[in-house]
């Protein structure tokens, strides 16, 4: 049935040639190669993240890696501070003492004797009671009468629009406290 048909002898020979080759001899689209590389890198990164995330706030907030377009703030400075809060590497005394930039990890803003970490700054510091009241009122009004630091920093089980609003309101809280020099 293949006799006297032009090109059949070439087509029949191709499978045999494929067995003897050591690599790919046909062109691969750059987009396909980039996609596969990114997919593999994300898989490796996720494996490492799963091992390391248990002891970090951010690991509890973001169990699966990927883009969080909704958590980006328009202000680069605020966006950076919120990211550092998620990583527990923000300019609060607990972190500053760890990197030898503060003699104590205690809160100097309210002198309560509490450690100044992200949780204290966002939820408990007495100096920011008025600013926090606005934040808490906002959270109640959008359906979060009780919430945690993780919800404020991105772990809310809700739609993206609501998450964007939480991010924006958190930015307003941070600005209103005047706690960070970079703003």
């Amino acid at each position: 049935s293949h006799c006297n048909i032009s090109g059949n002898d070439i087509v029949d020979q191709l499978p045999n040639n494929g067995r003897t080759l050591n690599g790919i001899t046909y062109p691969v689209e750059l987009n396909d190669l980039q996609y596969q590389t990114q997919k593999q890198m994300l898989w490796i990164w996720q494996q490492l993240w799963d091992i390391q995330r248990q002891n970090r706030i951010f690991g509890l907030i973001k169990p699966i890696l990927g883009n969080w377009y909704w958590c980006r703030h328009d202000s680069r400075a605020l966006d950076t501070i919120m990211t550092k809060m998620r990583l527990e590497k923000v300019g609060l005394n607990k972190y500053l003492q760890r990197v030898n930039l503060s003699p104590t990890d205690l809160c100097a803003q309210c002198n309560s004797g509490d450690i100044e970490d992200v949780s204290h700054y966002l939820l408990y510091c007495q100096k920011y009671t008025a600013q926090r009241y606005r934040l808490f009122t906002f959270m109640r009004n959008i359906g979060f009468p009780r919430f945690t630091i993780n919800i404020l920093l991105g772990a809310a089980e809700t739609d993206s629009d609501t998450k964007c609003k939480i991010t924006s309101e958190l930015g307003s809280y941070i600005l209103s406290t005047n706690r960070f020099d970079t703003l």
Side-chain angles (χ1 to χ4, degrees):
S1 66
H2 289 254
C3 297
N4 299 326
I5 299 176
S6 176
N8 273 349
D9 54 334
I10 296 171
V11 171
D12 288 341
Q13 187 63 31
L14 287 175
N16 292 329
N17 291 346
R19 282 187 286 224
T20 61
L21 297 176
N22 290 331
I24 298 173
T25 59
Y26 58 89
V28 175
E29 291 289 327
L30 184 57
N31 290 343
D32 293 339
L33 189 58
Q34 286 174 330
Y35 171 76
Q36 290 301 323
T37 301
Q38 288 174 350
K39 186 176 169 182
Q40 182 65 23
M41 286 177 16
L42 184 59
W43 182 82
I44 291 169
W45 189 19
Q46 183 69 52
Q47 301 306 307
L48 293 170
W49 182 250
D50 289 344
I51 293 168
Q52 297 173 355
R53 73 182 172 95
Q54 280 75 24
N55 296 323
R56 298 207 179 271
I57 290 175
F58 195 57
L60 299 173
I61 295 170
K62 189 171 186 172
I64 298 174
L65 298 173
N67 190 4
W68 275 17
Y69 67 90
W70 51 263
C71 80
R72 308 309 297 194
H73 198 279
D74 293 338
S75 163
R76 177 73 175 136
L78 279 173
D79 189 50
T80 300
I81 287 172
M82 287 186 224
T83 299
K84 287 179 177 183
M85 283 183 178
R86 292 179 188 107
L87 297 171
E88 298 179 293
K89 295 183 185 284
V90 70
L92 299 170
N93 281 346
K94 180 179 179 182
Y95 173 70
L96 295 176
Q97 185 189 36
R98 190 171 9 153
V99 295
N100 297 319
L101 293 175
S102 173
T104 180
D105 61 356
L106 300 179
C107 182
Q109 307 302 314
C110 68
N111 295 313
S112 63
D114 293 335
I115 293 174
E116 187 188 36
D117 58 7
V118 176
S119 180
H120 176 77
Y121 168 70
L122 292 177
L123 302 176
Y124 306 110
C125 185
Q126 297 165 10
K127 181 175 181 177
Y128 308 121
T129 301
Q131 295 91 332
R132 189 175 307 102
Y133 178 78
R134 178 180 171 199
L135 178 63
F136 282 22
T137 300
F138 168 80
M139 293 300 288
R140 275 194 305 276
N141 289 343
I142 63 167
F144 290 93
R146 294 176 190 254
F147 57 91
T148 64
I149 184 175
N150 292 352
I151 289 172
L152 284 175
L153 294 175
E157 294 290 331
T158 187
D159 61 276
S160 294
D161 287 341
T162 302
K163 289 179 181 184
C164 285
K165 291 175 185 174
I166 293 171
T167 298
S168 179
E169 193 63 30
L170 179 59
S172 296
Y173 172 83
I174 293 168
L175 280 174
S176 69
T177 65
N178 293 313
R179 175 64 181 86
F180 300 97
D181 296 334
T182 58
L183 296 176

